[in-house]
Amino acid sequence: MLILITSGYQKSLNNPFMSQTNDSPDFFYKLPRSRQHIISLAVLFIIPFILFFETTLGGKELQRHDITQWRASAESVIEYREKFDKEPLWANNVFGGMPAYVISLSHTVPHIDRVSKYFHKIYPAFQFWVMLSGMYVLLILLGFRPLTAVLGSIFYSLTTYFPIIIIAGHTSKFFALSLSPWIIAGYWMLSRREKKLIGLLLFSVSLALQLRAGHPQITYYFFYLIGFLWLFDFQKAFKLKELKNWGILTGLLIIGVFIGVMGNAERLLVLQEYTEYSMRGGSAIQGTTGLDTSYAFGWSQGIKETLTLLIPNLFGGSGGDYWGPKTFTSGPHYLGILTLLFSLIALFKVKKRVLYVFFGTGVLAILFSWGGNFLLLNEFAFNYIPFFDKFRAPETWLVLTSFCFAVVAAYGIDWLMQSSMETAISIKSLYKPIGTAFGILILLFLFVNSQNFIKDGEVDQVAYQIAQQNQVNPENPQVRQQALNYVNSRLVPEREEKAKADLVRFAIFLIIGTGIIYLVVSSKLSGTLGLICFILISTIDLIRVDQRYIPENSFVAGNIDPEKSILSQRRDLDNYIQQNIFEDNVYPYRVFPLLDNPLSNATPAYYYPILGGYTAAKLGIIQEVFYAEGNPVFGGPFGINLGLLEMLNSKFITYSAGLNIPGLTPVFNGRSGVVYELDNVLPKAFFVDSTVSVDNPREAYDYLYSNKVDFSKVAVVENYAALSSPDSSSSAIVTYYTGPEITVETSRSEPGFLVLSEIYYPAGWVALLNGEEIPIHKTNYLVRGVQIPEGDHTIEFRFEPNSHKLGVLLSWISLGSQFLIALFVAFSFYSERKTVEK
């Protein structure tokens, strides 16, 4: 593919890359073009080896928190997959049950991303190679020389955000980001080549792979850039009266999007279906759609904090030294000093209008990253721009900024190299961009020296801790002064030192960069040597900052995987629960692991099903019950709603000693905690004596919250007049349970309402009464219920979403389409070569 792209591109008659290579007096550009590309890609290939030497050649692997959490969450999915050799689609070990494709889905339809599994031991080098090579190809297509493309690739691929998310374990996000340059390259070929099939193939394949990576938020961001490029191309076509060509581009773009989206339809369709019922679909209680703004705007970039794009430690970097507006952060989005310098040169010197598409998109991404700190724009976008309200953590928008500014900087590099090679230019012609850079340095100096380096509310927190220790009022003036003295003497000096050190660092790299520019424009240094110097300086600059956020303890001995890490944490109480968790060896009860912070930790889910877990895409009903302020699960006179836990088939609670609550009996006292058993835990399936019909979720939620309903006898059913009465002869026995499949044998002397203690999710669950489908009703706000006639019956519950079946079919169609296009492209390329040879 790379050969087809670059060789096809170089045949273009108006290619500035060609016109400036053969005649160049510079030694590098006297080499054959193929060798220039090989050397350039080899340089980019080596960089990940340097940055992640421990994994590439050091025999170690990355230990990533989120991967460990994912592995625990995926345990029931993996067990089912190994036992039945098919996808379960439903996970029963976290949050009381949820669709498995939110956690783990093994693609039925293959694609070339399967290759990545052969490089998992050297992660993230392979993903970096994909990113660096993609950025290189894009910049070559944009018309830049190879070494300029190398430098532009470094500007984007070594920004600090990438090692931060790699260490955090955001594997899917990083892989999605590594494919973003390839998508833009595909669009560029579609819009600017006569033979557009290569562009269509590249665009559709890259889009399909990025969506298969499983982080649609990144795809959404980069489609803003594609949209602005598309509008720019429309304006240009309108001016030149070439709307027919633009119409062809638009049609092919739609086809490419359709094929690319279909490439991951087996997951996208079920996730789109899930969105309506997830926390991202809004709150039925609050009557909202989309994420709550306070949640969506969490981790908004501070307006002043945006300066960390240039001074990474301006707000402390990360950890305890961080004093910015976010609750905490793992690190900044540092772009590099030379990115700023060359971006300024581009803005002052380059007259190409497409440059401003990239620049404007990058600036807009900064404004979006401010989130809740710039509501004038972002609240409007949240309410009116499609899908904007589906994603959180606005600071993530800065990945689009780093990409766009890397391209802008490449234009600046290209202007400098081209101008210095074609005509003699004076350093005076660069006074404005260089002077602006030094002006920014002065402003940063003034800003740093005007800060107090104290986080908002930090003195109050310290004062409260002092007051607690001394049993006095935290508003006491002496306490306040003591707190202020502590912050100023213990915390502020190190923060100030780090900020000023990075300010000096900024000045040094800016002076070095300016010096090399002077040597190049004064012909005292060749363009190639100048570019090599810039490549070395940028690599050193960015890697040195990147390494701040790659702790040494992130690397562990080879062959240490997340599962082994979890198993190493097994406790005696986990063994006890595992031995006593099953009911007649048919189904497992659930556990509420209070000992392990159940609302943000999935590790216990590896051993047994839990109420709680770790995911940013919970079901909306789970979010309301477990995570909303004043949630029902922590209601009741003793701080825990035992009736709710009993209804959810929870047999055990783990906690420390001394949990004296009626209805709980300590049954195991281990080295790390105590296991308490709920005395009145309800079975997986049971009949109730009566029902209450409510018209909306709010009423059902209020019953749940009131803590006054005996769920063993009463069922609260939404929008259905259920019938049930006491029946001493009735029975409901679960005879088969896997999570996605459940079988219950029932017996009644009269009609009754059966409650199944499984989380309610309407998109895919079906209930079959003796083989005939019957409706499932939302019961007790959280679980399922079905109306059962008198007599003996077999009820089967199955999770078989039609959206997944359709998605698999569409994915095969997409793969077939891409294969046919690839065959046609290869045949055309072969035919052209044969014609040339004749």
Side-chain angles (χ1 to χ4, degrees), residues 479-490:
V479 172
R480 300 283 302 175
Q481 186 61 46
Q482 187 177 353
L484 182 60
N485 291 340
Y486 175 85
V487 172
N488 280 325
S489 62
R490 298 290 186 88

Side-chain angles (χ1 to χ4, degrees), residues 266-320:
E266 62 177 304
R267 190 177 187 194
L268 283 180
L269 289 185
V270 289
L271 286 178
Q272 178 60 33
E273 189 174 60
Y274 176 77
T275 298
E276 179 183 349
Y277 305 99
S278 75
M279 56 188 291
R280 296 172 188 264
S283 168
I285 303 301
Q286 305 297 331
T288 60
T289 59
L291 288 171
D292 176 75
T293 53
S294 61
Y295 182 79
F297 290 155
W299 274 264
S300 294
Q301 183 79 351
I303 294 176
K304 294 179 181 178
E305 193 180 13
T306 307
L307 294 174
T308 57
L309 294 173
L310 304 175
I311 308 290
N313 272 340
L314 185 58
F315 281 83
S318 63

Side-chain angles (χ1 to χ4, degrees), residues 36 42 98 149 152 228 344 363 453 532 556 572 593 651 696 731 809:
Q36 293 174 28
M98 68 183 297
F228 289 128
L344 289 171
V363 171
F453 298 95
I532 291 172
V556 294
D572 50 359
K651 185 176 183 179
N696 55 68
S731 65
L809 174 62

